[in-house]
Amino acid sequence: MTATTALQPPNTAPATAWRLTNATEQKVSALRATALTYLRTALAAQGRAHDPDALFGPELVLAELVTNAMRHGDAGQIDILMAVEVPHIWIAVSDTNGAAKPEINPAAPGTLPRGQGMRLVDALTCAWDTIPLGDGKLVTAVCPVPDLDRSRPEPAIAHQRPAPSLTPSHDGMAWLTRACPVDARASLAARWNRGENSPLPIGALFDAVAMNAKHAVAALDHLSTHGLTPGPVLAHYPPTGPETAYFLIPPGSRWPDIEGTHIVAEGRTLLCPRPGSTSNERKWLVPPDGSGHLTDPAHLADALTTAIAPANPAVLPAPAAGRRP
């Protein structure tokens, strides 16, 4: 990846541009990291506090446009330009295949619609367009600069587990969106882009076991001590009321009758922030990584009864495993 001065947009602040040659998935990932560094620096220079969690929208738009150019254009040379002019972020991606234009196409009966990536782009941008360039094309998109001034204090978390040193996971976000119907995914991404929680249906991609957050942290420590990797765990720390955590487990799993825990009923929804962020007192203790790995309910039940029962004899499993209600 080498710098280039191509694709300077008119009437904008000075831009930064890159050229990908022989583009690969690894090079696209490296570009995303470089672009985020540029965006944080440019926003800070224009007097805006910078927060990596709030930049996932522009990051996703950039990744989608570059991936489209790589898959449907000429991966031999892709030019990328980004500029920041508050309150907007300008992204442009060009390739040498003018015939393959990004589109959002309706689905034929009984099929999934094509152009799902561009539906996300459409939801996360103020506007986007395709401009012919001789034998190639230039795809431009304008993203709103998010409100990065978070004056609201973080919720007081009494039993917070140390946060893992992970960058926000686009793969985890993509995996979570699979819980929703196809026609609801763009709306889900838009809610995340606004810093809101999105309701994800229970029972299709995962089930959820609810419990006291303090017990969840103890169970996580037990699993870690025994070399067992948990799946995603979501915590809710309201200003008043009980602090609750949700372990995501495989759909249709059996769960023993452990006092203080319950399976969230199928058909209900779980309000989730974007992976790597906190929204309305909800945050991921273990964020989804995109692999689809979920906590083994047998391991979780053992961790709870082993780690919690000595301190709280009331937390014991019933003799027989119960079915999900």
Side-chain angles (χ1 to χ4, degrees):
M1 183 173 63
T2 57
T4 177
T5 57
L7 304 177
Q8 291 290 345
N11 303 321
T12 66
T16 294
W18 303 271
R19 173 167 293 166
L20 288 180
T21 56
N22 300 318
T24 63
E25 295 286 352
Q26 291 75 18
K27 289 184 178 181
V28 172
S29 295
L31 171 66
R32 285 167 58 184
T34 301
L36 282 176
T37 299
Y38 162 72
L39 287 177
R40 288 193 291 267
T41 303
L43 286 171
Q46 297 189 34
R48 300 296 297 267
H50 50 281
D51 180 349
D53 285 353
L55 294 176
F56 90 97
E59 178 193 11
L60 178 57
V61 170
L62 173 66
E64 177 61 32
L65 295 185
V66 174
T67 299
N68 272 353
M70 183 176 67
R71 292 178 178 173
H72 307 300
D74 181 359
Q77 179 175 310
I78 301 172
D79 285 308
I80 304 99
L81 180 142
M82 300 189 75
V84 177
E85 188 176 43
V86 174
H88 297 109
I89 295 171
W90 195 89
I91 302 172
V93 177
S94 73
D95 60 56
T96 56
N97 186 347
K101 297 181 179 180
E103 296 178 337
I104 302 175
N105 299 310
T111 66
L112 293 176
R114 293 179 293 136
Q116 287 304 299
M118 292 309 296
R119 289 178 185 271
L120 291 177
V121 170
D122 191 60
L124 295 171
T125 58
C126 304
W128 65 274
D129 198 4
T130 303
I131 303 170
L133 290 178
D135 293 335
K137 64 180 179 296
L138 172 69
V139 183
T140 64
V142 182
C143 302
V145 172
D147 182 4
L148 305 181
D149 181 13
R150 296 187 177 181
S151 57
R152 183 178 180 179
E154 286 284 331
I157 299 175
H159 311 293
Q160 181 178 359
R161 187 168 179 256
S165 57
L166 298 175
T167 56
S169 171
H170 165 63
D171 292 336
M173 187 190 74
W175 177 78
L176 282 176
T177 61
R178 291 170 49 200
C180 293
V182 171
D183 59 1
R185 293 177 184 176
S187 174
L188 179 149
R191 288 174 67 98
W192 277 336
N193 190 43
R194 294 193 299 267
E196 301 173 2
N197 294 316
S198 288
L200 299 181
I202 299 290
L205 190 64
F206 54 80
D207 281 352
V209 178
M211 65 192 67
N212 180 280
K214 179 180 178 180
H215 294 168
V217 171
L220 283 171
D221 290 340
H222 180 87
L223 292 171
S224 176
T225 299
H226 290 78
L228 300 172
T229 304
V233 183
L234 177 68
H236 181 205
Y237 297 102
T240 60
E243 300 173 344
T244 307
Y246 303 87
F247 277 79
L248 303 193
I249 64 174
S253 295
R254 291 174 176 265
W255 181 249
D257 185 14
I258 299 177
E259 185 176 342
T261 72
H262 68 274
I263 288 276
V264 181
E266 183 177 3
R268 296 186 63 181
T269 59
L270 187 63
L271 284 174
C272 299
R274 187 186 68 84
S277 68
T278 300
S279 177
N280 294 330
E281 294 89 32
R282 291 177 181 260
K283 72 179 303 175
W284 292 97
L285 298 181
V286 179
D289 60 6
S291 68
H293 174 69
L294 298 167
T295 300
D296 185 313
H299 292 163
L300 176 58
D302 179 69
L304 279 171
T305 55
T306 302
I308 304 305
N312 184 3
V315 182
L316 293 172
R323 293 180 180 273
R324 181 180 61 194

